[in-house]
């Protein structure tokens, strides 16, 4: 026997380092030998997302499960697990009074434990001829009660009109208690 419920999930709330408003997604719950939440790929929307000092208005993204056909699974022989992947996500917003664009080849988010991996990412702050640009091969992180921390590889940076380029960066980063920190090696 199987119980199945199909509905829509909406959330407004805080998370370590930020807040989301108007987060909406279709949601399917299946209860059988285990419990499965969120079947297959689905559209996800939010009306406002704030993380660190970045702010984003309305966006629509497509998420797909990374472990089987469900975003989250509990029970059965495999215990609790799940996660999702966004292919080629692109977010446009603001950081202070500057334009902000964030893009990647993929963003993968394991839910147990909560973290993320961002592949072939790029961040552009500002507009016009000389924005600040940062790119990396991978950026990962894990959330805890004080914030988020992780590692980066193949970081490159161009700071506006400054005639200096940095690349081959490798190291660790964190955002805790509204404070950014990064440590590593970088070729200038």
């Amino acid at each position: 026997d199987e119980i199945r419920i199909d509905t829509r999930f909406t959330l407004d709330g805080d998370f370590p380092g930020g807040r989301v408003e108007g987060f909406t997604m279709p949601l399917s719950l299946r209860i059988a030998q285990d419990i499965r939440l969120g079947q297959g790929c689905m559209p996800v929307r939010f009306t406002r997302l704030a993380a660190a000092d970045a702010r984003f208005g309305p966006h629509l993204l497509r998420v797909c499960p990374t472990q089987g056909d469900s975003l989250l699974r509990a029970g059965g022989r495999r215990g609790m697990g799940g996660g999702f992947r966004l292919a080629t996500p692109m977010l446009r917003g603001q950081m202070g009074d500057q334009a902000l664009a964030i893009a990647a080849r993929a963003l993968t988010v394991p839910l147990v434990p909560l973290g993320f991996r961002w592949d072939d990412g790029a961040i552009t702050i500002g507009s016009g001829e000389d924005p600040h640009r940062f790119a990396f091969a991978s950026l990962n992180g894990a959330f805890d009660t004080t914030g988020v921390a992780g590692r980066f590889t193949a970081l490159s940076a161009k700071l506006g009109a400054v005639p200096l380029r940095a690349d081959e960066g490798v190291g660790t980063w964190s955002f805790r208690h509204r404070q950014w920190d990064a440590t590593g090696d970088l070729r200038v």
Side-chain angles (χ1 to χ4, degrees):
D1 288 334
E2 178 178 289
I3 298 172
R4 187 175 183 120
I5 300 169
D6 293 305
T7 188
R8 181 163 300 283
F9 176 76
T10 301
L11 172 72
D12 293 322
D14 297 328
F15 58 87
R19 179 170 176 77
V20 66
E21 295 175 5
F23 178 88
T24 305
M25 65 187 282
L27 198 57
S28 171
L29 173 66
R30 185 183 68 97
I31 303 172
Q33 295 161 335
D34 59 4
I35 298 170
R36 294 176 181 262
L37 192 61
Q39 304 283 290
C41 295
M42 65 195 73
V44 172
R45 293 175 168 81
F46 60 83
T47 55
R48 184 173 182 278
L49 174 66
D53 291 326
R55 298 176 317 282
F56 303 95
H59 277 78
L60 171 65
L61 303 166
R62 182 169 174 80
V63 302
C64 294
T66 57
Q67 298 178 14
D69 65 348
S70 302
L71 296 179
L72 186 63
R73 157 195 97 257
R77 293 179 310 197
R78 295 189 300 176
M80 187 166 200
F84 61 88
R85 182 175 190 270
L86 291 89
T88 61
M90 168 60 101
L91 296 174
R92 294 190 184 279
Q94 295 287 124
M95 179 171 271
D97 61 353
Q98 298 289 314
L100 174 64
I102 298 177
R105 180 176 49 81
L107 173 63
T108 305
V109 179
L111 297 175
V112 181
L114 182 59
F116 66 90
R117 180 181 169 96
W118 195 4
D119 295 312
D120 296 327
I123 300 170
T124 304
I125 302 169
S127 56
E129 292 182 23
D130 294 315
H132 304 302
R133 296 183 197 272
F134 304 89
F136 46 84
S138 71
L139 176 76
N140 66 36
F143 293 90
D144 62 28
T145 58
T146 63
V148 60
R151 299 189 54 75
F152 58 87
T153 63
L155 173 72
S156 64
K158 174 76 172 81
L159 301 176
V162 176
L164 182 67
R165 180 160 177 91
D167 58 18
E168 299 180 21
V170 199
T172 60
W173 67 275
S174 66
F175 182 75
R176 300 189 186 288
H177 311 290
R178 300 191 52 80
Q179 180 70 42
W180 284 104
D181 184 47
T183 304
D185 296 316
L186 186 65
R187 184 175 71 118
V188 180

